[in-house]
């Protein structure tokens, strides 16, 4: 059987060729009708036909000649045909469009037409609709997003009056990840908000740019929600690309099928061709999907492992290639396509490939993709969830939910089971000392340590403030603040030593804190052992940004917060006009990086200050405290 994908390319001839094909058929039909019925008669009852012509004025009376009475009627051998005017002259008919030999050679044969799918026939004849939903159900593009202001979203018109070129440059330049976990949460909220596009910018382009930012942050589930708020008939090429990235990352290839089938041959890359075959399989056209994937395999449009996985996925739709054997022998690397389909169909990926992917460039993609994949075993998901929690993709509640399920499954052992048991001890231990000891076993270094602090946030809030536990106060408070438990952290204010890490975190995160104690600040700076005294610099920048230390006092300590750049001027201006959405976008632009070593006190100061001035003080306090805790 010929490759129907290549066939589709052949049959996309010019409109004249298609019209000629239809015209030739139509011409023959009209000729037959003309021979069969010279005088068509109406089948409608009286009163439903064309309106009667306006009666002419009555003629003037004239003499009527006398007519002899007629005899009985004699039936005629010839039927009487009403007169309908002269027959059409063939020369007056419109000419049938002519096609060239080259165009005629591109027309499909009958065998090829039989092998085309319904969508391909619609493409060929120009019958495919632009939209797959009725007009009354189509969504407006005036506002796109999932979070209304009443649901925690940013103001809808916040970017409507902003220069479109500036908004486009900010979104295109934000390619993630962000150094701050709370900054990640803030930018995710901004991208998911129900916003109107800047004047002059296409709303679909605006949504596609936001989807790109979310994908770069690993927020694939949020990306899916955003693109689904735009009808697939309105999707642009960029929107389709971002949506497909999100669907593949979440192992939900069928979710992309409405767009793939509606857009048809808009793309010709191997991944799109395999997606078309998969979507045909799930639309009930299994035989066509099998022939398409067989052709893809024989023509080697993609590596064999990719086509075999596609056959396995398509075969799950029903009868067909569900029993395809997938061999990983000779496969040198993992890819998002292979990772997604293998997880979806339950095919085991070699451990060596996974290890190489996680340690290589872009390795976090696989952790963020699999962290919330429901088809993966709990023990595997828990491993991937560590990175997702440290980045801000997963919350403390989500982490507790995962490990609670791990604990309840007796069949799970190893490291995941050990961490689940420690987490339970951190919550229900007999006394605070036992619970804190269990938490220490979950805290570690780097991103693993951050994930452990996220995991124990609510357990840390259950520890009563006591001088006996003051040596762990800094870690406990840092853990609480990963979940935003600022009031629980502030309860330790009377226990922590001035100038300690716990004191610094409370000085930044406490919503009711006043100006910082200069002596305590000096003590913190003198005791700071962080690399390049980064914690001290972030403490001063955070206090100044929150208005709890004057810029003059900060400069006296040695902080250079007065330097201006184009970015600082833009974020300050956005704060002056009270635009929280623009401040959030610019804050995300300034927080890009892999670690806090890439953040400067100058950037932190302007981010915290701008957020506080536009009413996002809670986020400002959490970002400032996080900088000191992780700096």
């Amino acid at each position: 059987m010929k490759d129907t994908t290549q066939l589709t390319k052949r049959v996309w001839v010019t409109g004249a060729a298609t019209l000629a094909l239809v015209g030739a058929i139509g011409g023959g039909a009209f000729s037959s009708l003309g021979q069969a019925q010279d005088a068509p008669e109406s089948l409608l009852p009286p009163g439903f036909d064309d309106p009667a012509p306006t009666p002419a004025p009555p003629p003037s009376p004239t003499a009527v000649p006398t007519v002899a009475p007629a005899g009985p009627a004699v039936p005629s051998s010839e039927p009487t045909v009403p007169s309908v005017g002269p027959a059409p002259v063939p020369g007056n008919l419109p000419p049938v469009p002519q096609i060239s030999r080259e165009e005629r050679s591109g027309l499909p044969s009958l065998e090829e037409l039989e092998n085309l799918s319904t969508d391909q026939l619609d493409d060929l004849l120009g019958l495919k609709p632009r939209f797959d939903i009725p007009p009354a159900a189509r969504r407006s593009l005036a506002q796109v997003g999932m979070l209304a202001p009443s649901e925690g979203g940013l103001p809808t018109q916040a970017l409507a009056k902003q220069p479109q070129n500036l908004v486009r440059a900010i979104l295109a330049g934000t390619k993630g990840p962000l150094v701050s976990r709370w900054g990640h949460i803030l930018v995710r909220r901004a991208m998911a908000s129900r916003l109107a596009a800047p004047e002059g910018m296409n709303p679909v382009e605006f949504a596609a740019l936001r989807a790109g930012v979310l994908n770069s942050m690993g927020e694939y589930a949020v990306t899916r929600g955003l693109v689904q708020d735009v009808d697939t008939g309105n999707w642009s090429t960029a929107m389709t690309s971002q949506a497909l990235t999100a669907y593949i990352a979440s192992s939900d290839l069928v979710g992309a099928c409405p767009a793939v089938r509606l857009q048809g041959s808009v793309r010709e890359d191997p991944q799109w061709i395999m997606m078309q075959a998969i979507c045909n399989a799930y639309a009930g056209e299994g035989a066509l999907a099998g022939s398409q994937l067989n052709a893809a395999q024989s023509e080697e449009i993609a590596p064999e492992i990719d086509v075999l996985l596609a056959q396995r996925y398509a075969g799950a739709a029903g009868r067909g290639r569900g029993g395809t054997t997938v061999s990983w022998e000779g496969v040198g690397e993992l890819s998002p396509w292979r990772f997604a389909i293998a997880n979806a169909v339950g095919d085991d990926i070699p451990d060596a490939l996974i290890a190489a992917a996680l340690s290589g460039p872009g390795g976090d993609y696989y952790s963020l993709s699999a962290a919330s994949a429901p088809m993966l075993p709990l023990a595997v998901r828990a491993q991937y969830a560590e990175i997702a929690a440290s980045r801000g993709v997963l919350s403390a509640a989500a982490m507790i939910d995962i490990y609670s399920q791990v604990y309840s499954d007796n069949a799970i052992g190893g490291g995941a089971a050990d961490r689940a048991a420690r987490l339970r001890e951190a919550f229900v231990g007999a006394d605070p000392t036992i619970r804190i000891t269990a938490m220490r076993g979950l805290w570690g270094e780097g991103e693993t340590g951050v994930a452990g602090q996220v995991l124990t946030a609510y357990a840390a809030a259950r520890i009563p403030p006591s001088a006996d536990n003051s040596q762990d106060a800094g870690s406990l408070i840092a853990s609480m603040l990963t979940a935003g438990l600022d009031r629980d952290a502030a309860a330790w204010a009377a226990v922590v030593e001035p100038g300690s890490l716990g004191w610094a975190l409370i000085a930044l995160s406490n919503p009711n804190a006043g100006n910082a104690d200069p002596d305590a600040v000096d003590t913190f700076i003198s005791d700071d052992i962080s690399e390049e005294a980064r914690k001290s610099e972030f403490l001063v920048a955070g206090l100044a940004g929150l208005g709890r230390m004057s810029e003059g006092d900060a400069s006296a300590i040695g902080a250079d917060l007065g330097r201006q750049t184009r970015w600082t001027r833009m974020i300050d201006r956005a704060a002056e006009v009270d635009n929280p959405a623009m401040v959030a976008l610019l804050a995300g632009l300034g927080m890009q990086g892999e670690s806090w070593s890439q953040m400067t006190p100058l950037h932190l100061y302007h981010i915290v200050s701008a957020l506080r001035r536009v009413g996002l003080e809670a986020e400002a306090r959490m970002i400032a405290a996080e900088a000191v805790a992780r700096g």
Side-chain angles (χ1 to χ4, degrees):
M1 185 178 293
K2 297 184 179 180
D3 180 12
T4 54
T5 302
Q6 299 297 326
L7 177 60
T8 305
K9 300 178 185 177
R10 290 182 51 204
V11 300
W12 274 102
V13 295
T14 61
T18 305
L19 181 60
L21 179 63
V22 178
I25 299 173
F30 291 145
S31 176
S32 300
L33 288 174
Q35 296 174 1
Q37 182 176 332
D38 292 333
E41 296 182 1
S42 174
L43 301 178
L44 295 175
F48 287 85
D49 207 341
D50 293 336
T54 304
S60 55
T62 57
V64 179
T66 301
V67 180
V74 179
S76 172
S77 61
E78 294 293 333
T80 302
V81 179
S83 175
V84 294
V89 180
N92 295 336
L93 295 176
V96 176
Q98 301 298 317
I99 59 176
S100 64
R101 178 175 299 178
E102 291 77 10
E103 293 172 333
R104 192 180 302 113
S105 64
L107 293 175
S109 64
L110 290 177
E111 179 183 358
E112 292 171 334
L113 285 172
E114 289 177 353
N115 293 327
L116 290 178
S117 68
T118 304
D119 285 345
Q120 290 170 332
L121 283 172
D122 289 343
D123 281 340
L124 171 62
L125 301 177
L127 301 177
K128 178 171 287 189
R130 179 184 171 191
F131 289 90
D132 57 350
I133 55 178
R138 295 174 193 168
R139 284 160 289 196
S140 170
L141 291 174
Q143 302 171 7
V144 176
M146 298 172 288
L147 290 178
S150 60
E151 300 168 325
L154 299 182
T156 301
Q157 299 296 324
L159 298 176
K161 299 297 183 180
Q162 299 302 311
Q164 60 165 314
N165 291 335
L166 175 59
V167 174
R168 182 182 293 110
I170 294 172
L171 293 175
T174 306
K175 301 176 181 179
L178 308 184
V179 301
S180 169
R181 183 174 180 276
W182 277 103
H184 176 110
I185 295 171
L186 171 64
V187 174
R188 177 181 63 198
R189 175 185 170 193
M191 295 299 102
S193 294
R194 192 169 299 160
L195 300 174
E199 289 185 2
M201 179 184 287
N202 188 316
V204 178
E205 179 193 2
F206 182 48
L209 288 169
R210 292 156 60 191
V213 174
L214 289 168
N215 277 337
S216 69
M217 296 167 56
E219 292 286 355
Y220 308 113
V222 182
T223 304
R224 283 195 308 170
L226 179 64
V227 300
Q228 287 172 353
D229 200 43
V230 178
D231 293 337
T232 51
N234 288 322
W235 284 12
S236 63
T237 302
M239 174 73 92
T240 302
S241 177
Q242 296 297 341
L244 198 57
T245 297
Y247 281 113
I248 291 175
S250 53
S251 298
D252 181 20
L253 277 69
V254 177
C257 284
V260 172
R261 290 177 65 82
L262 190 64
Q263 297 187 20
S265 57
V266 67
R267 286 169 49 175
E268 299 178 355
D269 55 279
Q271 188 178 88
W272 185 262
I273 293 172
M274 291 186 289
M275 279 294 302
Q276 286 183 304
I278 288 173
C279 293
N280 286 334
Y282 283 86
E285 299 177 345
L288 174 62
S291 66
Q292 289 176 321
L293 291 173
N294 288 338
Q297 186 176 19
S298 63
E299 296 180 7
E300 299 181 349
I301 67 168
E304 185 176 15
I305 182 65
D306 294 346
V307 181
L308 289 176
L309 286 169
Q311 289 176 337
R312 181 81 177 274
Y313 193 97
R319 298 178 181 179
R321 300 299 295 272
T324 300
T325 301
V326 177
S327 173
W328 292 88
E329 185 177 355
V331 178
E333 62 180 359
L334 201 58
S335 68
W337 176 266
R338 298 165 189 173
F339 190 69
I341 300 186
N343 288 335
V345 300
D347 198 81
D348 292 332
I349 304 173
D351 293 338
L353 286 180
I354 294 179
L358 293 176
S359 61
D364 287 350
Y365 167 87
Y366 300 99
S367 296
L368 300 175
S369 171
S372 57
M375 74 286 295
L376 294 180
L378 281 171
V380 177
R381 284 181 57 197
Q383 171 191 352
Y384 291 127
E386 303 288 330
I387 299 297
S390 66
R391 290 293 178 87
V393 176
L394 291 183
S395 65
M399 290 291 288
I400 292 172
D401 181 64
I402 291 174
Y403 278 100
S404 297
Q405 295 179 64
V406 171
Y407 182 82
S408 64
D409 191 342
N410 295 328
I412 298 177
D418 292 341
R419 289 177 71 80
R422 284 197 181 99
L423 178 62
R424 184 178 185 277
E425 192 72 12
F427 273 96
V428 301
D431 57 65
T433 302
I434 294 176
R435 299 203 295 269
I436 293 174
T437 302
M439 289 185 222
R440 290 198 199 105
L442 295 171
W443 299 334
E445 300 293 334
E447 290 184 326
T448 301
V450 176
Q453 289 183 335
V454 173
L455 184 60
T456 61
Y458 291 101
R462 290 165 55 88
I463 302 296
S466 170
D468 296 336
N469 301 317
S470 60
Q471 69 275 13
D472 294 302
S475 298
L476 291 170
I477 293 171
S479 179
M480 295 180 218
L481 295 180
T482 61
L485 305 177
D486 51 358
R487 298 189 183 278
D488 295 282
W492 287 75
V495 175
V496 297
E497 291 289 333
S500 65
L501 175 61
W503 169 86
L505 297 179
I506 293 175
L508 292 168
S509 64
N510 187 356
N512 300 318
N515 292 335
D517 181 2
D519 293 336
V521 173
D522 292 339
T523 301
F524 184 90
I525 294 174
S526 62
D527 293 342
D528 185 13
I529 60 173
S530 64
E531 185 178 354
E532 299 179 356
R534 191 174 295 119
K535 288 180 181 288
S536 297
E537 292 182 341
F538 288 161
L539 172 64
V540 174
L543 290 172
L546 291 170
R548 298 174 182 181
M549 174 185 287
S550 67
E551 189 173 333
D553 291 341
S555 300
I557 297 175
D560 181 16
L561 305 180
R563 185 166 56 91
Q564 291 290 320
T565 66
R566 183 183 179 188
W567 175 85
T568 62
R569 288 191 291 270
M570 284 194 296
I571 196 169
D572 287 344
R573 178 56 182 163
E576 287 176 9
V577 298
D578 194 21
N579 193 321
M582 182 60 76
V583 167
L585 265 60
L586 289 167
L589 183 66
M591 284 190 286
Q592 296 182 87
E594 296 287 345
S595 70
W596 279 97
S597 62
Q598 297 171 278
M599 173 63 71
T600 67
L602 178 68
H603 280 68
L604 180 65
Y605 165 70
H606 284 281
I607 289 170
V608 171
S609 175
L611 290 174
R612 175 181 61 83
R613 286 185 284 166
V614 296
L616 298 173
E617 182 180 341
E619 288 82 356
R621 290 186 284 108
M622 293 301 104
I623 291 173
E626 182 188 2
V628 174
R630 298 177 60 183

